[in-house]
Amino acid sequence: MSRRQRPGYTRRGLTVVLGLLLLWVGLAGCSSKYIPGIGSPSSPSGTPPSPKGKGGTYKPYTVLGQTYYPLGSAEGYSETGVASWYGPDFHGKKTANGEWYDMYQMTAAHRILPMNTRLLVRNLENGRTAEVRVNDRGPFVNNRVIDLSYAAADMLGVVGPGTARVYLQTIPGERIQYVGPFYVQYGAFVVQENARRLRDKLVARGFPGTRITMGELGGTTYWRVQIGAFSSLPEAEANRLRLSKESPDCFVIAD
């Protein structure tokens, strides 16, 4: 995880306590992918919604004695280097372009790329890829090239090790097309037996493909109950909407 500073911001030495909401939502897991914008894990209570970005600034800025000159265009840009990630300490705080940082969205910080640039990031150590949008500045430590949101780092397999060598390039046209099978994560539990009870109830209700997967966060094991499998994203989203009436924080993942 990156120890970083933003223009105009300094990190406070806060102890982050994961609330009950995170216990319920859990993580999509290393073998699964978040589907950005499709019922992604909600922000903690009290976090204001993200306003429209201000488009960022192209003016030079100075951090830790180093002056950076943002590019006027991202066309044809590519770069190889070390990626890190940032999460709870900045969740709900403003990014460099005026948005509220949401660690569950597919965003990233870059020192010089224009705000709202879309990037395809490939983890050179495991081959995973993710699409992110630049909405912040950084990282400003150890010659790292990009600071990923928690969701992006999780998709790329960077959360555990904290850093990874990546290749990034701008995306001029089509968005990434996610392939299934798809699941709706209904809930997550610390006690495995509670997850089993919920799975059995969902199977009895007509969801025979409901499964339990294991994940870890901060040294704690979570048992995630996921309904599926669905062959298409629209089918998974339709079921998520149906289930959200009883489980508001459920979200779609792709295996």
Side-chain angles (χ1 to χ4, degrees), residues 7-29:
Y9 293 87
T10 57
R11 182 184 293 277
R12 296 180 180 179
L14 299 178
T15 300
V16 179
V17 179
L18 296 177
L20 292 177
L21 177 63
L22 187 54
L23 295 180
W24 171 250
V25 175
L27 302 176

mmCIF file of all heavy atoms in Angstrom, residues 7-29:
data_model
loop_
_atom_site.group_PDB
_atom_site.id
_atom_site.type_symbol
_atom_site.label_atom_id
_atom_site.label_comp_id
_atom_site.label_asym_id
_atom_site.label_seq_id
_atom_site.Cartn_x
_atom_site.Cartn_y
_atom_site.Cartn_z
ATOM 1 N N PRO A 7 -1.314 16.836 -3.541
ATOM 2 C CA PRO A 7 -1.148 18.284 -3.485
ATOM 3 C C PRO A 7 -2.147 18.886 -2.513
ATOM 4 O O PRO A 7 -3.349 18.736 -2.673
ATOM 5 C CB PRO A 7 -1.448 18.717 -4.929
ATOM 6 C CG PRO A 7 -1.171 17.504 -5.748
ATOM 7 C CD PRO A 7 -1.555 16.342 -4.885
ATOM 8 N N GLY A 8 -1.644 19.541 -1.466
ATOM 9 C CA GLY A 8 -2.528 20.197 -0.517
ATOM 10 C C GLY A 8 -3.026 19.292 0.589
ATOM 11 O O GLY A 8 -3.800 19.710 1.426
ATOM 12 N N TYR A 9 -2.596 18.009 0.616
ATOM 13 C CA TYR A 9 -3.071 17.092 1.628
ATOM 14 C C TYR A 9 -1.879 16.423 2.304
ATOM 15 O O TYR A 9 -0.871 16.155 1.682
ATOM 16 C CB TYR A 9 -3.949 15.982 1.023
ATOM 17 C CG TYR A 9 -5.248 16.482 0.471
ATOM 18 C CD1 TYR A 9 -5.322 16.943 -0.841
ATOM 19 C CD2 TYR A 9 -6.396 16.507 1.252
ATOM 20 C CE1 TYR A 9 -6.518 17.410 -1.357
ATOM 21 C CE2 TYR A 9 -7.591 16.964 0.736
ATOM 22 C CZ TYR A 9 -7.653 17.414 -0.560
ATOM 23 O OH TYR A 9 -8.826 17.868 -1.083
ATOM 24 N N THR A 10 -2.017 16.105 3.598
ATOM 25 C CA THR A 10 -1.023 15.294 4.293
ATOM 26 C C THR A 10 -1.753 14.174 4.997
ATOM 27 O O THR A 10 -2.881 14.332 5.466
ATOM 28 C CB THR A 10 -0.239 16.118 5.332
ATOM 29 O OG1 THR A 10 -1.154 16.704 6.252
ATOM 30 C CG2 THR A 10 0.572 17.202 4.651
ATOM 31 N N ARG A 11 -1.118 13.010 5.071
ATOM 32 C CA ARG A 11 -1.740 11.848 5.704
ATOM 33 C C ARG A 11 -1.759 12.021 7.214
ATOM 34 O O ARG A 11 -0.786 12.396 7.820
ATOM 35 C CB ARG A 11 -0.954 10.584 5.339
ATOM 36 C CG ARG A 11 -1.582 9.326 5.928
ATOM 37 C CD ARG A 11 -0.709 8.124 5.611
ATOM 38 N NE ARG A 11 -0.692 7.845 4.204
ATOM 39 C CZ ARG A 11 -1.612 7.148 3.586
ATOM 40 N NH1 ARG A 11 -2.643 6.682 4.252
ATOM 41 N NH2 ARG A 11 -1.518 6.915 2.295
ATOM 42 N N ARG A 12 -2.886 11.753 7.810
ATOM 43 C CA ARG A 12 -2.990 11.786 9.261
ATOM 44 C C ARG A 12 -2.775 10.386 9.808
ATOM 45 O O ARG A 12 -3.170 9.401 9.212
ATOM 46 C CB ARG A 12 -4.370 12.281 9.689
ATOM 47 C CG ARG A 12 -4.656 13.720 9.263
ATOM 48 C CD ARG A 12 -6.041 14.141 9.714
ATOM 49 N NE ARG A 12 -6.329 15.502 9.311
ATOM 50 C CZ ARG A 12 -7.472 16.113 9.552
ATOM 51 N NH1 ARG A 12 -8.441 15.493 10.192
ATOM 52 N NH2 ARG A 12 -7.659 17.356 9.146
ATOM 53 N N GLY A 13 -2.186 10.328 10.973
ATOM 54 C CA GLY A 13 -1.917 9.025 11.574
ATOM 55 C C GLY A 13 -3.146 8.469 12.249
ATOM 56 O O GLY A 13 -3.241 8.438 13.467
ATOM 57 N N LEU A 14 -4.094 8.034 11.466
ATOM 58 C CA LEU A 14 -5.345 7.514 12.002
ATOM 59 C C LEU A 14 -5.335 6.001 12.007
ATOM 60 O O LEU A 14 -4.794 5.363 11.121
ATOM 61 C CB LEU A 14 -6.526 7.997 11.145
ATOM 62 C CG LEU A 14 -6.738 9.509 11.075
ATOM 63 C CD1 LEU A 14 -7.912 9.817 10.156
ATOM 64 C CD2 LEU A 14 -7.009 10.081 12.450
ATOM 65 N N THR A 15 -5.955 5.415 12.990
ATOM 66 C CA THR A 15 -6.154 3.973 13.012
ATOM 67 C C THR A 15 -7.492 3.679 12.365
ATOM 68 O O THR A 15 -8.523 4.167 12.798
ATOM 69 C CB THR A 15 -6.169 3.456 14.462
ATOM 70 O OG1 THR A 15 -4.922 3.771 15.060
ATOM 71 C CG2 THR A 15 -6.381 1.944 14.478
ATOM 72 N N VAL A 16 -7.470 2.889 11.294
ATOM 73 C CA VAL A 16 -8.690 2.615 10.538
ATOM 74 C C VAL A 16 -9.377 1.381 11.098
ATOM 75 O O VAL A 16 -8.791 0.319 11.192
ATOM 76 C CB VAL A 16 -8.357 2.386 9.052
ATOM 77 C CG1 VAL A 16 -9.631 2.078 8.273
ATOM 78 C CG2 VAL A 16 -7.673 3.620 8.490
ATOM 79 N N VAL A 17 -10.612 1.545 11.494
ATOM 80 C CA VAL A 17 -11.391 0.431 12.021
ATOM 81 C C VAL A 17 -12.418 0.037 10.980
ATOM 82 O O VAL A 17 -13.244 0.845 10.575
ATOM 83 C CB VAL A 17 -12.101 0.825 13.330
ATOM 84 C CG1 VAL A 17 -12.918 -0.349 13.846
ATOM 85 C CG2 VAL A 17 -11.084 1.261 14.369
ATOM 86 N N LEU A 18 -12.384 -1.193 10.503
ATOM 87 C CA LEU A 18 -13.342 -1.652 9.507
ATOM 88 C C LEU A 18 -14.685 -1.893 10.184
ATOM 89 O O LEU A 18 -14.783 -2.671 11.123
ATOM 90 C CB LEU A 18 -12.844 -2.951 8.863
ATOM 91 C CG LEU A 18 -11.556 -2.813 8.070
ATOM 92 C CD1 LEU A 18 -11.121 -4.178 7.549
ATOM 93 C CD2 LEU A 18 -11.741 -1.852 6.925
ATOM 94 N N GLY A 19 -15.717 -1.259 9.681
ATOM 95 C CA GLY A 19 -17.044 -1.336 10.283
ATOM 96 C C GLY A 19 -17.812 -2.567 9.874
ATOM 97 O O GLY A 19 -17.372 -3.380 9.072
ATOM 98 N N LEU A 20 -19.008 -2.676 10.431
ATOM 99 C CA LEU A 20 -19.856 -3.822 10.145
ATOM 100 C C LEU A 20 -20.246 -3.883 8.682
ATOM 101 O O LEU A 20 -20.489 -4.964 8.144
ATOM 102 C CB LEU A 20 -21.124 -3.753 11.010
ATOM 103 C CG LEU A 20 -20.895 -3.941 12.508
ATOM 104 C CD1 LEU A 20 -22.215 -3.770 13.250
ATOM 105 C CD2 LEU A 20 -20.304 -5.308 12.785
ATOM 106 N N LEU A 21 -20.308 -2.727 8.022
ATOM 107 C CA LEU A 21 -20.675 -2.720 6.613
ATOM 108 C C LEU A 21 -19.690 -3.519 5.793
ATOM 109 O O LEU A 21 -20.067 -4.303 4.928
ATOM 110 C CB LEU A 21 -20.722 -1.283 6.096
ATOM 111 C CG LEU A 21 -21.038 -1.133 4.600
ATOM 112 C CD1 LEU A 21 -22.429 -1.677 4.311
ATOM 113 C CD2 LEU A 21 -20.940 0.323 4.192
ATOM 114 N N LEU A 22 -18.397 -3.359 6.065
ATOM 115 C CA LEU A 22 -17.388 -4.080 5.307
ATOM 116 C C LEU A 22 -17.461 -5.569 5.604
ATOM 117 O O LEU A 22 -17.228 -6.403 4.742
ATOM 118 C CB LEU A 22 -15.996 -3.542 5.631
ATOM 119 C CG LEU A 22 -14.848 -4.087 4.780
ATOM 120 C CD1 LEU A 22 -15.150 -3.890 3.304
ATOM 121 C CD2 LEU A 22 -13.547 -3.423 5.153
ATOM 122 N N LEU A 23 -17.805 -5.920 6.856
ATOM 123 C CA LEU A 23 -17.962 -7.330 7.186
ATOM 124 C C LEU A 23 -19.078 -7.943 6.364
ATOM 125 O O LEU A 23 -19.010 -9.093 5.942
ATOM 126 C CB LEU A 23 -18.272 -7.487 8.682
ATOM 127 C CG LEU A 23 -17.175 -7.058 9.650
ATOM 128 C CD1 LEU A 23 -17.642 -7.282 11.079
ATOM 129 C CD2 LEU A 23 -15.893 -7.823 9.393
ATOM 130 N N TRP A 24 -20.150 -7.175 6.148
ATOM 131 C CA TRP A 24 -21.302 -7.685 5.405
ATOM 132 C C TRP A 24 -20.995 -7.795 3.928
ATOM 133 O O TRP A 24 -21.257 -8.789 3.279
ATOM 134 C CB TRP A 24 -22.492 -6.760 5.635
ATOM 135 C CG TRP A 24 -23.661 -7.079 4.759
ATOM 136 C CD1 TRP A 24 -24.138 -6.345 3.734
ATOM 137 C CD2 TRP A 24 -24.495 -8.238 4.835
ATOM 138 N NE1 TRP A 24 -25.210 -6.965 3.169
ATOM 139 C CE2 TRP A 24 -25.455 -8.125 3.826
ATOM 140 C CE3 TRP A 24 -24.517 -9.363 5.661
ATOM 141 C CZ2 TRP A 24 -26.430 -9.087 3.613
ATOM 142 C CZ3 TRP A 24 -25.490 -10.324 5.449
ATOM 143 C CH2 TRP A 24 -26.430 -10.178 4.443
ATOM 144 N N VAL A 25 -20.416 -6.732 3.379
ATOM 145 C CA VAL A 25 -20.146 -6.726 1.950
ATOM 146 C C VAL A 25 -19.031 -7.692 1.602
ATOM 147 O O VAL A 25 -19.095 -8.423 0.626
ATOM 148 C CB VAL A 25 -19.769 -5.301 1.481
ATOM 149 C CG1 VAL A 25 -19.363 -5.307 0.022
ATOM 150 C CG2 VAL A 25 -20.944 -4.357 1.681
ATOM 151 N N GLY A 26 -17.970 -7.718 2.415
ATOM 152 C CA GLY A 26 -16.845 -8.592 2.142
ATOM 153 C C GLY A 26 -16.087 -8.145 0.913
ATOM 154 O O GLY A 26 -16.221 -7.020 0.454
ATOM 155 N N LEU A 27 -15.298 -9.051 0.366
ATOM 156 C CA LEU A 27 -14.508 -8.759 -0.816
ATOM 157 C C LEU A 27 -14.922 -9.679 -1.938
ATOM 158 O O LEU A 27 -15.360 -10.793 -1.722
ATOM 159 C CB LEU A 27 -13.014 -8.967 -0.515
ATOM 160 C CG LEU A 27 -12.462 -8.131 0.630
ATOM 161 C CD1 LEU A 27 -11.012 -8.509 0.863
ATOM 162 C CD2 LEU A 27 -12.588 -6.664 0.315
ATOM 163 N N ALA A 28 -14.748 -9.224 -3.165
ATOM 164 C CA ALA A 28 -15.089 -10.073 -4.302
ATOM 165 C C ALA A 28 -14.088 -11.203 -4.458
ATOM 166 O O ALA A 28 -14.389 -12.223 -5.052
ATOM 167 C CB ALA A 28 -15.135 -9.240 -5.582
ATOM 168 N N GLY A 29 -12.869 -11.033 -3.940
ATOM 169 C CA GLY A 29 -11.909 -12.129 -3.943
ATOM 170 C C GLY A 29 -10.916 -12.037 -5.073
ATOM 171 O O GLY A 29 -11.149 -11.420 -6.090
#
